Amino acid sequence: MIKMNKSLKLKKTFISLFFFMATSFFFGQVDEPPVVIAEGNQAFCIGNPINIVTNFSITDGDDTTVDSFFIQISSGYQVNFDRLELTGSYPTINSQWNNIQGKLSLTSSISGTEILLTDIENAVKSIVFSTTSNNITTKKTFSLTIDNANYLPVTDHFYQFISSPSITWADAKIAAEGKTYYGRQGYLATLTSEEEANFAGEQASGAGWIGGSDEETEGVWKWVTGPETGTVFWNGQVNGSTPNYANWNNNEPNDFKGNNPDGEHYAHITDPSIGNRGAWNDLPNEGGTDLYIAKGYVVEYGTTTDLPLKIAASTSIYIPQITATTSATICESGIATISATASEGTILWFDAMVGGTQLFPSGNSFTTPILNSSKTYYASTSVNGCISLDRTAIEVVVNQKPTITSITEDLICSGSATLSATSSAGKINWYDSLTSTTPLFTGNTYQTLPITTTTTYYIEANIDNCISSSRVEVIAEVNSTVPEFDLVKDAYFLCTDTGSVTLETTNSLDNYSYVWKKENVIISGSLATNNATSSGNYTVKAISLAGCESVEKQIIVSNSNIATITNDDVLLVEDSDNNSIQVINDNLGIGEYEFSLDDEFGIYKDAGFFEKISAGMHTLFVNDKNNCGITTYKFSILAFPKYFTPNGDGENDVWKINGFNSDSFTIAEISIYNRFGVLLYQMESSSQGWDGRYQGKILPSNTYWFRVILSDVNGRKIEKTGSIGLIRK
């Protein structure tokens, strides 16, 4: 149980009864606790100690002493900087400062005795607060109580850390609920605000259990003790969120199952040496190991239905603040008036953040001398002559007149123009005249309303009403001329072996960009020409610099290619009175073809038929009318003489095949036989012909026979036999 400051006492009252008897009765009365009253909500002058109360009393209707008294910095405490100290001489009182808890304890200096209430009153009035911090919290609260339990004025609750090494959470919950404090029921602490968590956590003396758990639903953390029972304060694990307030330590709660497969379901204030002091972690019911072993638990006393206890009181100190400031700007040079307001006190003005010169007069506003460059002044409030409070910077900005540094005008066909500008500083205002006072627009880029004629706008730069010396013209030019151009051709043929064809426009009246499409889909390219790599329906339109568009013009691209011709495509008639060649295949390719014989640059005709061709080598030229190229077909027209007269007159002295050229034939077998089938002669490709001899002997006039097997360079095979008349005169 909690040790109480006052013991129960029995006061004896003796009542004498007259008439025949007298009986003595003892009446037991509960000792009433003292009543503590403290006053003080004072402005604190930085650097100067201050008494924590302006008035203080402690009274007790049935007692004149207490065991001890405690004064604690219950909010705004800055550990290692703030300090409470008993000043003056109080030989009957010992004072002890606890730097971790921010608490000053007063006890009797005489062993076995209590402190007189009158000595407590005088001593408390002599307790001063001081700090060495350079960044002081703006408000601090002091709690004054007769008991060692920590009192937090903002909740009007008492908090107590109970040391109980290795106690389980379940046992701690039972133990806390078994404690009372001056009639208030105890429970494991529920810390629902930052101030409460800092007070109970950071200023507690060890790692201990508090009243949070997710045992009912994993990841849903609730307060399960005290008046907040059932209130959810966290959802999830490490990356979860709070619907109100939580103070988990780094990487908590993590439901660690290393030593406990059931996980961690109970909230615990972490050991002060781990992470953030006073923050929480989750542990199993039995606690953890090493630094995670429970050192005890935190009990909270107080519900919404409790009557106020007068065993504690509170006071506070605060630092007066500059609550608002008004800066000023000047164009090029001049004076300015700046101002400040404070929570209380008189405004002092300085020319430096620290030290410097105090400027006069004091008050809420200050008028500067003539300034040619920016300058910062500093305002501070003074209460009761204090001049050490923080100073707030207030700047007077001296602007130089800005200039327009660049403009971008626009040329449009119709509609809205987009104009832009930049300035050396400030914002840009757009006007419709040199003298108009109401801007059309403010900003760097102005989208005009739709216009039909060239329009001039005017701009100026403005920085805090410091305006450029003159307005600058920005022109939105309208040119609604529709682009005109021609096509070099409206139809092209794409030779499949070359891969592309250039589509061309011509006779443009200006420098246009072009939009090319194929089958109504935009293709890359914006120049006057474009390469087409496939057949189809193309269109092109021109766009002027102003954005006006021409009508679309259509170009048809068709496929074509050079002809392919083989032996199967022609019919040769030779060794006749009318030798001829005829192209018998109407489909030599996808092109459109014309023909010429033996003259590539001669006259071509649509029909592929030529007659009265002489014996010998010839070339058929096949031209694609769509300019995909010329294909050649070389062939021989052969004639086989019926007779020859080898009489040495130089005419018709040998028999040979007319039109035969050994270079045009890959196979040439020419044999001469007599009527009995005796091979008389076999020509070689280089032979000049048969002179009518056999083995050097002159053969007589007679009929002989030939057999020819030929294969030309086109792969055409010729097999022919016939008679030869040898005539001798």
Side-chain angles (χ1 to χ4, degrees):
M1 295 292 290
I2 298 171
K3 178 183 178 183
M4 299 299 175
N5 292 320
K6 304 288 288 178
S7 61
L8 297 178
K9 301 178 179 179
L10 295 177
K11 296 184 176 180
K12 298 180 179 179
T13 304
F14 297 95
I15 303 176
S16 299
L17 298 178
F18 300 98
F19 303 104
F20 302 100
M21 64 181 63
T23 306
S24 297
F25 294 92
F26 292 95
F27 292 88
Q29 297 179 336
V30 176
D31 184 16
E32 294 295 328
V35 174
V36 177
I37 299 175
E39 298 177 3
N41 181 30
Q42 307 173 78
F44 177 54
C45 186
I46 296 173
N48 299 324
I50 186 172
N51 290 89
I52 63 168
V53 298
T54 56
N55 197 13
F56 175 75
S57 67
I58 178 170
T59 58
D60 189 334
D62 56 7
D63 229 331
T64 59
T65 62
V66 292
D67 288 339
S68 55
F69 198 80
F70 303 91
I71 306 93
Q72 185 173 21
I73 306 174
S74 54
S75 67
Y77 177 54
Q78 292 173 278
V79 65
N80 297 326
F81 294 100
D82 296 351
R83 184 176 180 84
L84 297 176
E85 185 176 4
L86 176 61
T87 61
S89 176
Y90 295 92
T92 63
I93 297 176
N94 280 333
S95 65
Q96 185 174 7
W97 170 245
N98 186 319
N99 184 57
I100 299 300
Q101 295 185 347
K103 180 184 288 189
L104 182 69
S105 302
L106 303 181
T107 57
S108 174
S109 63
I110 303 172
S111 177
T113 65
E114 296 183 338
I115 313 174
L116 288 171
L117 298 183
T118 54
D119 287 348
I120 290 292
E121 280 191 354
N122 293 329
V124 168
K125 293 176 182 178
S126 298
I127 294 174
V128 297
F129 165 81
S130 62
T131 185
T132 57
S133 172
N134 293 322
N135 184 24
I136 305 171
T137 52
T138 57
K139 184 175 181 179
K140 298 179 187 290
T141 303
F142 308 105
S143 62
L144 302 91
T145 180
I146 64 171
D147 196 87
N148 197 27
N150 297 329
Y151 174 66
L152 183 62
V154 70
T155 62
D156 192 34
H157 289 189
F158 294 85
Y159 303 82
Q160 192 173 34
F161 175 79
I162 304 299
S163 178
S164 182
S166 299
I167 189 173
T168 67
W169 183 88
D171 289 344
K173 179 176 181 295
I174 294 171
E177 292 170 354
K179 294 184 179 298
T180 59
Y181 186 77
Y182 287 101
R184 292 192 177 189
Q185 178 65 48
Y187 54 90
L188 283 183
T190 57
L191 310 178
T192 60
S193 70
E194 181 178 3
E195 188 170 9
E196 189 178 15
N198 289 344
F199 182 68
E202 292 185 18
Q203 293 175 232
S205 60
W209 297 112
I210 55 177
S213 173
D214 73 341
E215 182 179 19
E216 178 181 324
T217 303
E218 175 61 40
V220 180
W221 285 88
K222 299 178 181 179
W223 296 117
V224 295
T225 59
E228 283 82 18
T229 295
T231 301
V232 176
F233 64 88
W234 187 258
N235 291 299
Q237 294 188 5
V238 174
N239 295 318
S241 61
T242 177
N244 37 68
Y245 176 78
N247 189 35
W248 294 109
N249 216 326
N250 301 329
N251 301 314
E252 300 287 351
N254 59 10
D255 196 32
F256 180 65
K257 295 181 172 63
N259 297 320
N260 191 321
D262 293 333
E264 300 177 319
H265 301 299
Y266 304 97
H268 182 267
I269 296 176
T270 317
D271 186 272
S273 65
I274 299 173
N276 300 318
R277 183 177 178 87
W280 315 335
N281 66 300
D282 55 337
L283 288 176
N285 180 56
E286 296 78 14
T289 59
D290 300 325
L291 292 175
Y292 293 94
I293 296 173
K295 307 297 190 302
Y297 53 97
V298 179
V299 185
E300 181 175 356
Y301 304 95
T303 67
T304 55
T305 59
D306 290 331
L307 295 175
L309 284 176
K310 296 183 179 180
I311 63 170
S314 65
T315 62
S316 62
I317 61 172
Y318 61 91
I319 300 176
Q321 300 289 305
I322 298 293
T323 57
T325 63
T326 302
S327 58
T329 60
I330 300 171
C331 186
E332 294 196 315
S333 66
I335 63 173
T337 298
I338 55 178
S339 64
T341 55
S343 57
E344 65 178 286
T346 301
I347 303 293
L348 306 181
W349 297 91
F350 298 88
D351 61 2
M353 176 64 83
V354 178
T357 302
Q358 182 177 344
L359 307 175
F360 294 96
S362 301
N364 288 67
S365 63
F366 174 73
T367 300
T368 72
I370 295 175
L371 299 176
N372 297 309
S373 60
S374 298
K375 184 172 178 60
T376 301
Y377 294 89
Y378 301 87
S380 174
T381 185
S382 174
V383 179
N384 298 326
C386 177
I387 61 171
S388 63
L389 299 180
D390 290 341
R391 300 177 186 179
T392 299
I394 306 174
E395 188 174 13
V396 179
V397 177
V398 178
N399 294 315
Q400 300 304 311
K401 284 188 175 182
T403 59
I404 300 297
T405 56
S406 69
I407 63 171
T408 301
E409 298 176 317
D410 199 7
L411 171 64
I412 63 171
C413 181
S414 63
S416 298
T418 301
L419 309 174
S420 63
T422 58
S423 62
S424 59
K427 57 189 178 182
I428 296 175
N429 291 327
W430 298 76
Y431 299 91
D432 57 7
S433 73
L434 279 170
T435 57
S436 57
T437 57
T438 302
L440 299 171
F441 176 75
T442 298
N444 289 75
T445 301
Y446 174 45
Q447 188 83 28
T448 72
L449 294 173
I451 55 176
T452 57
T453 60
T454 297
T455 305
T456 301
Y457 298 89
Y458 302 87
I459 59 173
E460 66 183 15
N462 183 329
I463 177 170
D464 295 324
N465 293 320
C466 192
I467 300 171
S468 52
S469 299
S470 60
R471 293 183 180 179
V472 175
E473 291 184 353
V474 185
I475 298 173
E477 182 181 351
V478 177
N479 183 346
S480 57
T481 303
V482 176
E484 294 184 22
F485 69 98
D486 295 322
L487 297 176
V488 173
K489 293 191 299 183
D490 61 5
Y492 288 82
F493 288 93
L494 176 63
C495 300
T496 56
D497 60 335
T498 60
S500 67
V501 63
T502 301
L503 313 183
E504 297 180 274
T505 65
T506 188
N507 299 327
S508 62
L509 298 184
D510 204 343
N511 183 22
Y512 305 139
S513 61
Y514 295 83
V515 176
W516 294 85
K517 296 180 182 178
K518 179 189 176 186
E519 312 299 348
N520 209 35
V521 176
I522 294 176
I523 58 178
S524 62
S526 60
L527 301 179
T529 62
N530 204 328
N531 281 339
T533 58
S534 61
S535 61
N537 185 10
Y538 290 79
T539 59
V540 60
K541 68 179 177 181
I543 301 177
S544 69
L545 295 176
C548 295
E549 298 184 2
S550 71
V551 297
E552 287 187 332
K553 296 190 177 185
Q554 187 176 52
I555 302 173
I556 303 298
V557 177
S558 303
N559 285 328
S560 189
N561 66 2
I562 194 169
T564 301
I565 188 168
T566 67
N567 293 331
D568 295 334
D569 300 319
V570 299
L571 174 63
L572 286 177
V573 176
E574 57 186 339
D575 193 28
S576 72
D577 293 336
N578 184 14
N579 298 323
S580 65
I581 184 171
Q582 181 180 2
V583 178
I584 60 175
N585 187 354
D586 293 334
N587 186 14
L588 302 180
I590 61 174
E592 186 178 359
Y593 305 107
E594 59 186 2
F595 307 90
S596 175
L597 185 63
D598 293 333
D599 189 353
E600 180 180 0
F601 305 103
I603 297 174
Y604 283 80
K605 62 180 183 177
D606 292 337
F609 175 71
F610 297 89
E611 59 182 348
K612 296 181 181 179
I613 304 174
S614 62
M617 287 298 301
H618 296 275
T619 301
L620 178 66
F621 294 95
V622 184
N623 178 47
D624 175 38
K625 292 181 179 181
N626 301 320
N627 296 318
C628 287
I630 296 174
T631 297
T632 61
Y633 179 78
K634 293 184 177 182
F635 64 94
S636 294
I637 294 293
L638 302 179
F640 301 89
K642 301 298 184 183
Y643 65 92
F644 71 109
T645 57
N647 56 11
D649 62 0
E651 294 182 10
N652 207 22
D653 285 335
V654 296
W655 184 89
K656 62 180 179 179
I657 302 172
N658 294 331
F660 175 79
N661 184 331
S662 60
D663 294 335
S664 300
F665 293 88
T666 58
I667 298 175
E669 295 182 10
I670 305 171
S671 304
I672 308 296
Y673 301 89
N674 64 16
R675 60 179 179 167
F676 302 108
V678 176
L679 179 62
L680 303 177
Y681 182 79
Q682 194 165 38
M683 291 185 186
E684 296 180 357
S685 60
S686 60
S687 173
Q688 298 299 313
W690 182 44
D691 60 2
R693 295 174 184 270
Y694 173 63
Q695 293 182 351
K697 296 178 181 181
I698 297 174
L699 296 176
S701 296
N702 205 338
T703 298
Y704 298 90
W705 303 90
F706 68 87
R707 182 173 182 269
V708 175
I709 299 175
L710 300 175
S711 182
D712 66 12
V713 292
N714 295 320
R716 182 169 67 101
K717 293 182 178 181
I718 302 170
E719 292 190 17
K720 190 173 182 63
T721 59
S723 61
I724 304 170
L726 191 160
I727 302 173
R728 292 194 183 274
K729 297 180 179 180

